[in-house]
Amino acid sequence: MLSFECDYNTGAHEKILQKLCETNYEPLPGYGADKYCESAKAKIKDACDRKDAQVFLLAGGTQTNQTVISSVLESYECVISADTGHINAHEAGAIEYSGHKVVALPQKYGKLDAHEVENYLKVFFADENHAHMAQPGMVYISHPTEYGTIYTLDELSALSRVCRNYSIPLYLDGARLGYGLMSDGTDVTLKDIAALCDIIYIGGTKVGALCGEAVVFTHNNAPKGFFTSIKQHGALLAKGRLLGIQFDTLFTDGLYYEISRNAIKSANRMREIFKKKGYRFFIETVTNQIFIILENEKAEELKKHVSFGFWEKYDDTHTVYRFASSWATTDVDIDALAGLL
Amino acid sequence: MLSFECDYNTGAHEKILQKLCETNYEPLPGYGADKYCESAKAKIKDACDRKDAQVFLLAGGTQTNQTVISSVLESYECVISADTGHINAHEAGAIEYSGHKVVALPQKYGKLDAHEVENYLKVFFADENHAHMAQPGMVYISHPTEYGTIYTLDELSALSRVCRNYSIPLYLDGARLGYGLMSDGTDVTLKDIAALCDIIYIGGTKVGALCGEAVVFTHNNAPKGFFTSIKQHGALLAKGRLLGIQFDTLFTDGLYYEISRNAIKSANRMREIFKKKGYRFFIETVTNQIFIILENEKAEELKKHVSFGFWEKYDDTHTVYRFASSWATTDVDIDALAGLL
Amino acid sequence: MLSFECDYNTGAHEKILQKLCETNYEPLPGYGADKYCESAKAKIKDACDRKDAQVFLLAGGTQTNQTVISSVLESYECVISADTGHINAHEAGAIEYSGHKVVALPQKYGKLDAHEVENYLKVFFADENHAHMAQPGMVYISHPTEYGTIYTLDELSALSRVCRNYSIPLYLDGARLGYGLMSDGTDVTLKDIAALCDIIYIGGTKVGALCGEAVVFTHNNAPKGFFTSIKQHGALLAKGRLLGIQFDTLFTDGLYYEISRNAIKSANRMREIFKKKGYRFFIETVTNQIFIILENEKAEELKKHVSFGFWEKYDDTHTVYRFASSWATTDVDIDALAGLL
Amino acid sequence: MLSFECDYNTGAHEKILQKLCETNYEPLPGYGADKYCESAKAKIKDACDRKDAQVFLLAGGTQTNQTVISSVLESYECVISADTGHINAHEAGAIEYSGHKVVALPQKYGKLDAHEVENYLKVFFADENHAHMAQPGMVYISHPTEYGTIYTLDELSALSRVCRNYSIPLYLDGARLGYGLMSDGTDVTLKDIAALCDIIYIGGTKVGALCGEAVVFTHNNAPKGFFTSIKQHGALLAKGRLLGIQFDTLFTDGLYYEISRNAIKSANRMREIFKKKGYRFFIETVTNQIFIILENEKAEELKKHVSFGFWEKYDDTHTVYRFASSWATTDVDIDALAGLL
């Protein structure tokens, strides 16, 4: 059975497994105080080119979004997101569970537009009754977005400018950040992101780790008591080494970028194959996620041999499906897929 | 200074004040266990024609919405509302503060459409990933809506049908219910509402009381422990008599309807005057709220003599304002307003 | 039927009712922006002798505690209270509902001891694992306490010193503050309290108002966005005038103190009568609450003619009951009680 | 450097690592829908001898406690715990963050006493004002306790009886369950626990896994929507395989018990050594945690060669420290420790 269902269908990159095995019997302090966590954090700060950054390692994406957003916001503040943003659409109300409204603005190709945000803020503060409403306290974006699209440097800079004008932190969810950074034609680097955003999370789970997301407060702006907040959210692993070792490996010798690039090359090949075979794309993407509109019958046929992800109903006879490559996708897999299409 | 700013700019109907004075020295048990609360509840059940209803008296609207919604929903559930719904737009994130997402659907004249709701639910449950999302656990509407519009019996019945098909309670926020029930041409009675909705709140604050909202669970469906939940939300008045006496008075000899009718008659006169004088309406309403688009200069001029409410910016030179009548509006007030327009 | 059940069994002082009636038809802005609120706040600041104080008016006690505590605390902080403190024992978990732990320390006569608090903080910060625990962010006391006892100036000063050493705000719940200030032999004034505490609430509901509590941030230390937080907690009355008029009246010509003194004089008489008749006191009090240990049979007998409050079981044949006087208690009531004892 | 700091200072049992490596490239569905999770759950149900049990795999202990407790409790309910219980003392207020009060009862050797619980419930429901308080909705115990002690079958049965009399679920936190089950002289088996408790969690993190806790609802009593609740708490790992593979390995051929037994044998040797060398025990334990009172100077000396955990200050010159063995402790380690003592 072939699998293009998602980018978290295999285990971890073998260098990670190898390092976990090698270090297994080293006694290390718990809760992230070990030397591998320290090393990982230093490497991530370097990669971001931010000496004054603070790095924290958490286990999963929704957990990270909930912990970061609810710790940064004051209790009466809300977070602005594209309506398709992961926190708004697919996290089971985790942000609201922590007490905060997600204000959803319309998206374009999964992206939040700087003008849209600026206009929202202008109208909000011009409203004489705005003290009766949840106050905007953060802007949330994802890169790549949930639709596999990416921001240009201009778009990101414009968002950053609006946020800084209003003194509202900009938070970038990089669950699949590697795939965005390694996309063909992107003009955005990790350093750009670290310079333009106030908080970012660099995804591990979907980019070669068993689990793990690295939160970066880019300019010494972690909220007071953040370590305690992590614990309070149930997000503090006793064996912090599990996260430290993984991120230390990913950020050694550019492994994170290298394996991300593999996913992009794989996705590029897949896109060509889909195109050549006449499949309809639901949206144009340049990252590792490809959205294809399939006739329902065709889909059922394909499902016998390959797994892929339900995205949404298109119409009564068609459905949108997601085909994802990953750091682990091989040419053999793609050839096999090509044979089935 | 004339005041058409809102329907809560004066105190209470004089019969309420009189009753508060008369009963002032009667020693009564606290927390709503007094005979006036009991009498008020019985009269409200009668007015709803629901023998198996349960009635609770709370102090304010946002408080009522927060207490009801968070007590009825399971922790992983969300509430569906029109995007202009009070809980979504003007309650400072009170629902989210209590842990629940407000799913905002597009409105038509402030109203939620049954087809829209049905379609949302159909798509939601057809989504193979819906267990990863907040589960719909309530539909919230307001009658009159925030735009001063009202549901027809057909519209309300359709919403009720959809909710019952999906076993999701329908909750009607009646902060201004009296004004809806007494509007010209409405075909909806309180009994209809009580039959079609699972929970309703009958507004006192904006209909002649100093404070107070009556929550009606229409068919013995109050959540377990609801009294404790009221306390936990800080919504239990020690002197419950303040609410009991007010609602007992409002629901004696049809006072609630009578004074609501006064607001409608006043608003009808005001609408005629605005129309005759060539003012532009932002939206057509039949209740006590009138939305007028004013040139900014004209508005500044008027504000010297009459207060009215900011609603929203219309364009760079115009603003939408709300003029509200109330149970207390007099013909003298309206004549004076007419003279200024 | 005589009633000594509590201090909220009658309505409001007649001057309050009179003022509500007089001002009833004055159109006033909503949400506390009216002139009576303004005047009340100015008078309360004067009474506290704090020019830089900020005053907010809320409706009820649990609501006030929840709104204040959850707005002042950071999300990872807890509040320290005597184990008998109202927030710990009798508010249905309202503080925890807003996300914060109540750390309960042992009480002495309902009071929190400065040494106890200091020791707790010393041990807490000496614990090498304290970052894994909720961080102390406030000390809560009540004056009078739930047991009707009061702090001496020395005790209060000591608590204040400890709090300021640790930079932790001291919050005083004065639901019955008037009765504490007017007690025989107290050496604590409102000005002392305002100087020693960071936040206080001056109770109205139990001291002659229909409802209402005045929160005082004593030195310009209200948390950012506090108005929005009040709304978010459902604690913002549309007709703020109801609170403004009441507190304006209570703080005009010393009415608050005068009517509190009546409760103390009444309680003093009652204490003498109980003593003379050989009743056993559960605890010595100097305020308006008297705790008597009654034989269960005697209690049943008395209940036929007078209502009084269950406090706790004493043993299998005895129960502790509370007899409370109030601003409204008359000598006629007390004589009648004396006749029954 | 020797390490007896805790039982989570090394990685995972080598069979777990081996299995992770072997299965690494198998494509598997995410979010716990894979065959290893299924197999692990079946084995755990078998081990519990509960055909109608429901098993869920989460990543960490505080996360598990927060997710389980807040999902099982109604919003107005609280959980009863020993005051030394992990949820009360060392989880940064995570339970309160999710909205629920932890009612702390006095402990005896870290244990909750059935009589104490019964008495609390009796007094609670006898209090005429109990509707004003958080309602008891769960009893929480840990086995072994935070003090390394364990319940006898009689004690556990008595607690179970009280809970069932009051229809309150009994929840057992087994973060170190293996060490309790394998202790010398225990008369409690996993089957006993599964029969007497309503919910248990079987700890992996501290018993040989990299991370992971298995929640068992023992009689088909998982709350509705629990999967969504897990997601909402940020506790759903995308690569659920990480948990499935680990628990599948731990519950194959009795590995969980076998490695737990190693920790107990190691601790027994350590206890003998401490005793022989005249060290003072802070509390008697039979599990893998040993609490020793050390002179501060001696402790500083020892810390140069061995790490161990701060527990609490004993007096000005002494401190209580924890020495823990684990599944990975070797005789070589213990010999080295003995040489230093």
Side-chain angles (χ1 to χ4, degrees), chain A residues 65 79-92 96 102-113 116 140-151 173 175-176 206 282-283 289 291 311-312 322, chain B residues 101 104 127 132-133:
Chain A
N65 285 333
V79 54
I80 295 170
S81 163
D83 55 14
T84 50
H86 207 255
I87 56 167
N88 191 49
H90 289 98
E91 297 193 350
E96 292 86 355
V102 179
V103 170
L105 298 186
Q107 48 83 28
K108 289 178 188 158
Y109 304 109
K111 294 190 275 184
L112 205 51
D113 180 74
E116 190 89 50
Y140 165 96
I141 57 173
S142 43
H143 183 87
T145 69
E146 290 67 25
Y147 278 141
T149 55
I150 54 174
Y151 287 88
D173 172 340
R176 296 184 165 93
K206 291 167 181 168
F282 175 63
I283 195 173
Q289 300 189 83
F291 300 92
W311 193 253
E312 60 184 71
R322 179 179 70 177
Chain B
K101 189 178 193 65
D127 186 332
H132 291 254
M133 306 180 206

Side-chain angles (χ1 to χ4, degrees), chain B residues 304-325:
Chain B
K304 292 175 189 159
H305 308 289
V306 56
S307 67
F308 43 91
F310 172 89
W311 193 251
E312 61 184 72
K313 271 192 69 166
Y314 186 76
D315 61 28
D316 281 353
T317 54
H318 295 80
T319 303
V320 181
Y321 288 101
R322 178 179 71 176
F323 290 77
S325 67

